[in-house]
Amino acid sequence: MSFLAFYNSIVHTSIESINELPFSVGTVHFKKGEVVTEYDQLEDTVYFINEGMVEMTIKSYMTEKIIDFFFKNEMVCGFTSFLTQQPTDVKITALIDTQMEAIKRDDLMEAYSHSLEANQFGRILTEHGYIRKSNREKDLLTKTAEEKYAEMFATHSQYITQIPVNKIAKYLGIHPESLSRIRKKINS
């Protein structure tokens, strides 16, 4: 799915060219391991992933925790910083070579002032972000690591083999050895 198709599906329109959007969109590329958004940076861009995947991490005492993974056809940014223009407490890193469409905050804010469609797009993305966060919190409180891994495998199996085991384990909040047992059980 292209960003244009994604946009059309969100706002129920049939724009045929990216030039018809109420805001500018540019293509950016990040190599594997390259940082998209760094800790303490002001987030000024929201991204749509065309190809690849990224991880979002947060500092925790003496370690780094993985908050989430974002895949093809998903939007990602340091959302709190994007909204408040305060330094972000998350880091976004490309896990493989990744191509994304980028929308600058200033362009989006300008579009909000004159476009009902842009406002609708922003509102729906905010709702999707809230629902994703809410579901992640519920999963952390109610599902076992095995259930979370099985769900991740069911929805993103094409990416699972590209994510290092230690990162998946960190995301699930377990040791890599425990993840190996879970994988063995699911694959048997």
Side-chain angles (χ1 to χ4, degrees), residues 38-58:
E38 184 60 79
Y39 291 120
D40 298 321
Q41 173 183 326
L42 287 182
E43 183 67 271
D44 69 345
T45 309
V46 60
Y47 302 94
F48 175 81
I49 303 173
N50 290 322
E51 294 292 332
M53 66 180 152
V54 300
E55 70 176 355
M56 181 180 286
T57 58
I58 190 165

Side-chain angles (χ1 to χ4, degrees), residues 65-108:
K65 296 199 182 237
I66 297 175
I67 296 174
D68 214 342
F69 297 105
F70 293 83
F71 305 97
K72 183 178 179 176
N73 299 329
E74 294 182 338
M75 300 288 296
V76 63
C77 75
F79 197 60
T80 303
S81 176
F82 187 83
L83 292 175
T84 65
Q85 287 299 277
Q86 298 296 313
T88 187
D89 58 352
V90 299
K91 179 168 76 172
I92 301 170
T93 307
L95 290 175
I96 61 176
D97 289 353
T98 301
Q99 182 212 23
M100 300 189 278
E101 300 297 328
I103 304 165
K104 291 293 187 183
R105 184 181 189 280
D106 290 345
D107 292 341
L108 191 58

Side-chain angles (χ1 to χ4, degrees), residues 68-164:
D68 214 342
F69 297 105
F70 293 83
F71 305 97
K72 183 178 179 176
N73 299 329
E74 294 182 338
M75 300 288 296
V76 63
C77 75
F79 197 60
T80 303
S81 176
F82 187 83
L83 292 175
T84 65
Q85 287 299 277
Q86 298 296 313
T88 187
D89 58 352
V90 299
K91 179 168 76 172
I92 301 170
T93 307
L95 290 175
I96 61 176
D97 289 353
T98 301
Q99 182 212 23
M100 300 189 278
E101 300 297 328
I103 304 165
K104 291 293 187 183
R105 184 181 189 280
D106 290 345
D107 292 341
L108 191 58
M109 294 302 140
E110 170 63 27
Y112 285 168
S113 70
H114 62 79
S115 170
L116 183 60
E117 258 183 27
N119 276 280
Q120 183 181 10
F121 180 72
R123 177 184 55 79
I124 292 169
L125 285 184
T126 301
E127 290 169 358
H128 286 189
Y130 172 78
I131 290 166
R132 182 183 183 120
K133 182 182 182 312
S134 178
N135 287 338
R136 171 88 169 117
E137 289 172 356
K138 289 176 192 173
D139 287 352
L140 286 170
L141 295 171
T142 62
K143 292 183 179 175
T144 65
E146 186 174 329
E147 290 170 324
K148 290 185 279 189
Y149 179 78
E151 187 174 293
M152 186 179 184
F153 187 79
T155 57
H156 296 100
S157 60
Q158 70 274 29
Y159 295 106
I160 295 292
T161 58
Q162 298 177 56
I163 302 173

